[in-house]
Amino acid sequence: MVFDATAGFPESRRRSLVDRVTRQAEPYLYTAPALILIVTIMLAPLVLGLSYAFRDVHLLNPFSGGYVGLDHFRTLYDDDNFYRALRNTLWWTGASVLLQFVFGLILALLLDRPFAGRAIAQALVFLPWAVPTFLTGLNWAWLFNPVIGPLPHWLYALGLMNEPANILSNPQLAMWGPIIANVWWGIPFFAITLLAALQAIPRDLYEAAAIDGAGAFRRFTSITLPFLAPTIAITVLLRTVWISNFADLIIVMTSGGPADRTQIVASYIFTQAFRALDFGYASAIALVLLVLLLAYSMLIVMLRQVLMDRA
Amino acid sequence: MNSYSTFGTALHRLAILCYVLFALFPLFWLLKVSVTPNDLLYSEGVRMWPSRMSFEHFRFVLAHSAFPVFFRNSMIVAGATAVIVTLLASLSGYALSRFTFRGKYWLVALMLLTQMFPLVMLVAPIFKMLSPLGLTNSLTGLVVVYTAFNIPFATFLMQSFFDGIPKELEEAAKIDGATQFMAFRQIVLPLTLPGIAATLGFVFTAAWSELLFALMLISGNSAATFPVGLLTFVSKFSVDFGQMMAAGVLALIPACLFFLFIQRYLVQGLTAGAVKG
């Protein structure tokens, strides 16, 4: 590559001032397009949405839009569906994150060891992550459907079910449908992140430990886990927030039913906005969800601070 | 250190096999039903492969339904989003990687914030904002929205790739008289091609899969993306499993191709970032 050797050197004071201004402005020019988009398409609607929480906004009613104060929050306070959605969110998030993490960690440990065909095995086990979520939802809904899918028949054959029925229409079990679909789809994310962290651990540490007589389990608890801990903490924290907001699978598989047993807060917001077209109430619920998530994140940050101070 | 027993090795391979089967089975079943002729669909319910294969469902979906239109719409939306996001994110990622500037902290904080709050909150206000601009029921509207949603993550991703490239290369070029932008374009970008490919793949897959905003913003078939089309199809013709699954297989193709293309960069790219950090 050949560059004009004189281009970088100022020829006059004027030129050098221009240069300095350009250099000062350069990072802002690089970031401006991204910043403008984020502010107009994410921040502005966020603020607008917060204002809807205190207004009566119905899509089909042109006369709506008036200020209603805390009315939405009073309705919300007595809304049993909301409390059920809150409980369901905890259950959905807790089970999904835990199962994804455990199976993702095991997969990462399995893939960290060299073996013939590792590249192809890795490509295949990571594949579910590329499957669009709406298709993941539909695919699992079909697998659970006794007309077309094998799962109910297998569960029946194993004696786990009295008859080959669809668990998605059983209020007691329905939540397991989206959770299983979510675990299938989300294992690769944890596995990819943890595998990357595993491969960054210096190999000679293991050799030194082995020479000192540490067994496989000891090496895992004294080397692998401490090295992985920061990655695990940040991934689990981010995933928890993300999954508690992740409504796609539920909307596709059950639409929150049967009898609202799978309705989580995020899908409840979407249902209020999309089906009831009640933008005001949807935004009020969203505001409460946002506050809860912020509280959760603060708690984690504080917890981390306490743990770090002690260490 | 590799003193694993034969038993351990067998267990390891068995566990890998279980994971592969679990990952592939749902997709296999999708494919199986899509090639099962209608008359065998119920009589051979849980058989692993139909006694007779047929592509009638694919022929019907491609010739007599709106799926080719949905497919084209999704291609346009996901493709345009991926290209624009990668372009803008490589600029902003480069700024985060190489410059210290006033307000950088706030920019990063803002981008992190967008990753934390529930996007479902924005469904209603975005609809209200876009509808007077004529951007509801339009592919352009979807591209704008998806671009904004994907930029923060793509910026961090690109930043991690840039961080892995030694600064000395650009400094040498600048001594030779290149401007920072020339050094960026001619030296750094070509070295980040794997990162660019990964970012393209990530964003394409995300835009291809997005459901909630597409459902809210699009009504009617002409601008429907694949998720919206498939869901409408499912609720309208809920008995025709063969056709639905054939459509599902078609929706899977571009996402999987992209993924197989980029997956080898995933761990590699993340590792490079991790080692350096």
Side-chain angles (χ1 to χ4, degrees):
Chain A
M1 236 168 285
V2 180
F3 295 105
D4 178 4
T6 55
F9 298 102
E11 284 157 357
S12 65
R13 280 186 63 92
R14 213 177 79 91
R15 176 72 190 275
S16 98
L17 183 71
V18 172
D19 265 12
R20 250 205 351 256
V21 172
T22 326
R23 208 165 311 130
Q24 288 286 319
E26 206 168 357
Y28 299 103
L29 292 176
Y30 286 122
T31 48
L35 184 63
I36 291 169
L37 268 167
I38 292 171
V39 168
T40 49
I41 308 293
M42 298 185 81
L43 213 54
L46 180 65
V47 174
L48 193 64
L50 295 183
S51 84
Y52 286 176
F54 304 95
R55 287 161 58 192
D56 164 41
V57 187
H58 264 92
L59 185 59
L60 292 181
N61 180 358
F63 301 108
S64 66
Y67 178 75
V68 295
L70 296 175
D71 276 7
H72 290 314
F73 296 97
R74 280 186 207 106
T75 320
L76 193 62
Y77 188 76
D78 296 321
D79 187 351
D80 287 339
N81 291 333
F82 172 71
Y83 292 110
R84 182 179 296 128
L86 212 53
R87 281 195 300 275
N88 287 340
T89 305
L90 289 179
W91 173 220
W92 150 259
T93 312
S96 299
V97 173
L98 184 71
L99 292 172
Q100 283 183 3
F101 166 67
V102 169
F103 286 110
L105 179 63
I106 296 174
L107 180 58
L109 290 170
L110 291 172
L111 288 174
D112 191 39
R113 198 179 143 186
F115 59 93
R118 178 166 74 167
I120 182 81
Q122 184 175 311
L124 292 178
V125 290
F126 286 175
L127 189 62
W129 193 47
V131 176
T133 48
F134 68 92
L135 195 59
T136 305
L138 282 175
N139 201 344
W140 279 95
W142 290 330
L143 289 173
F144 283 122
N145 185 334
V147 176
I148 202 79
L151 295 183
H153 302 280
W154 290 352
L155 290 173
Y156 173 67
L158 288 172
L160 294 172
M161 263 184 176
N162 299 327
E163 47 170 351
N166 194 340
I167 67 161
L168 295 178
S169 48
N170 179 338
Q172 306 301 324
L173 297 172
M175 191 53 117
W176 281 107
I179 289 177
I180 292 173
N182 195 11
V183 170
W184 179 80
W185 184 76
I187 287 176
F189 177 85
F190 272 99
I192 291 171
T193 326
L194 293 173
L195 183 57
L198 275 176
Q199 294 184 344
I201 302 177
R203 296 283 137 167
D204 32 355
L205 276 183
Y206 288 106
E207 280 160 38
I211 291 167
D212 287 348
F217 182 73
R218 188 69 211 277
R219 288 200 297 267
F220 178 73
T221 51
S222 325
I223 303 175
T224 314
L225 273 187
F227 262 94
L228 285 188
T231 312
I232 292 177
I234 192 81
T235 321
V236 168
L237 163 69
L238 289 176
R239 261 340 210 186
T240 305
V241 173
W242 195 88
I243 287 175
S244 61
N245 296 328
F246 179 44
D248 292 33
L249 289 176
I250 286 175
I251 292 197
V252 169
M253 293 178 79
T254 62
S255 315
D260 277 341
R261 286 306 173 97
T262 59
Q263 192 80 278
I264 62 168
V265 177
S267 65
Y268 192 46
I269 295 171
F270 185 75
T271 313
Q272 288 296 326
F274 179 66
R275 290 203 209 290
L277 299 175
D278 189 343
F279 287 7
Y281 193 51
S283 297
I285 309 170
L287 180 57
V288 173
L289 177 62
L290 185 66
V291 169
L292 290 175
L293 287 173
L294 277 178
Y296 167 79
S297 308
M298 298 284 257
L299 197 73
I300 296 288
V301 170
M302 274 160 54
L303 207 65
R304 186 166 163 267
Q305 204 63 47
V306 170
L307 287 176
M308 279 193 6
D309 286 348
R310 250 202 287 165
Chain B
M1 71 179 245
N2 276 322
S3 57
Y4 292 105
S5 62
T6 331
F7 177 71
T9 310
L11 207 64
H12 176 260
R13 299 301 187 279
L14 190 68
I16 295 270
L17 185 71
C18 287
Y19 269 102
V20 172
L21 288 180
F22 179 60
L24 292 187
F25 181 73
L27 302 176
F28 162 76
W29 199 260
L30 192 71
L31 189 69
K32 180 230 146 185
V33 175
S34 74
V35 297
T36 307
N38 269 336
D39 52 318
L40 297 180
L41 205 53
Y42 304 113
S43 56
E44 294 186 352
V46 287
R47 260 177 76 134
M48 279 301 125
W49 197 252
S51 51
R52 187 159 49 78
M53 261 173 69
S54 118
F55 291 98
E56 56 179 293
H57 302 307
F58 286 95
R59 271 198 294 277
F60 180 88
V61 163
L62 288 173
H64 303 288
S65 74
F67 276 103
V69 180
F70 303 152
F71 198 83
R72 198 205 59 195
N73 288 343
S74 268
M75 273 297 195
I76 295 174
V77 170
T81 307
V83 171
I84 299 172
V85 166
T86 308
L87 199 71
L88 300 183
S90 51
L91 287 173
S92 51
Y94 186 67
L96 290 189
S97 169
R98 289 297 194 267
F99 293 94
T100 44
F101 54 95
R102 199 186 291 244
K104 180 176 173 177
Y105 175 82
W106 291 106
L107 184 68
V108 173
L110 176 67
M111 288 194 180
L112 283 177
L113 176 77
T114 62
Q115 300 299 289
M116 297 296 278
F117 74 80
L119 283 180
V120 73
M121 286 183 74
L122 303 183
V123 166
I126 281 193
F127 183 89
K128 275 282 209 182
M129 277 173 65
L130 292 188
S131 112
L133 301 172
L135 287 176
T136 52
N137 224 355
S138 105
L139 297 183
T140 319
L142 280 185
V143 172
V144 171
V145 172
Y146 292 172
T147 302
F149 286 178
N150 283 297
I151 274 193
F153 175 71
T155 299
F156 291 134
L157 194 63
M158 286 307 295
Q159 183 198 355
S160 76
F161 288 115
F162 290 131
D163 283 345
I165 292 173
K167 275 183 183 166
E168 288 76 17
L169 292 175
E170 294 144 88
E171 274 154 22
K174 279 198 279 188
I175 289 169
D176 285 346
T179 62
Q180 179 99 30
F181 186 71
M182 278 161 75
F184 166 63
R185 218 188 51 192
Q186 298 182 350
I187 296 170
V188 180
L189 268 192
L191 287 173
T192 354
L193 278 182
I196 292 177
T199 311
L200 276 174
F202 267 109
V203 179
F204 185 92
T205 321
W208 183 267
S209 319
E210 206 287 330
L211 174 69
L212 300 188
F213 283 83
L215 271 179
M216 190 74 210
L217 293 175
I218 303 290
S219 53
N221 274 351
S222 63
T225 54
F226 220 103
V228 179
L230 193 57
L231 234 56
T232 336
F233 190 79
V234 167
S235 48
K236 225 184 276 176
F237 307 93
S238 55
V239 282
D240 218 319
F241 287 105
Q243 284 170 21
M244 292 192 297
M245 298 211 190
V249 171
L250 294 178
L252 200 57
I253 294 169
C256 284
L257 283 181
F258 237 109
F259 176 74
L260 289 179
F261 169 65
I262 62 133
Q263 65 87 20
R264 83 183 103 141
Y265 299 119
L266 286 180
V267 175
Q268 189 192 329
L270 290 169
T271 315
V275 170
K276 218 229 145 214

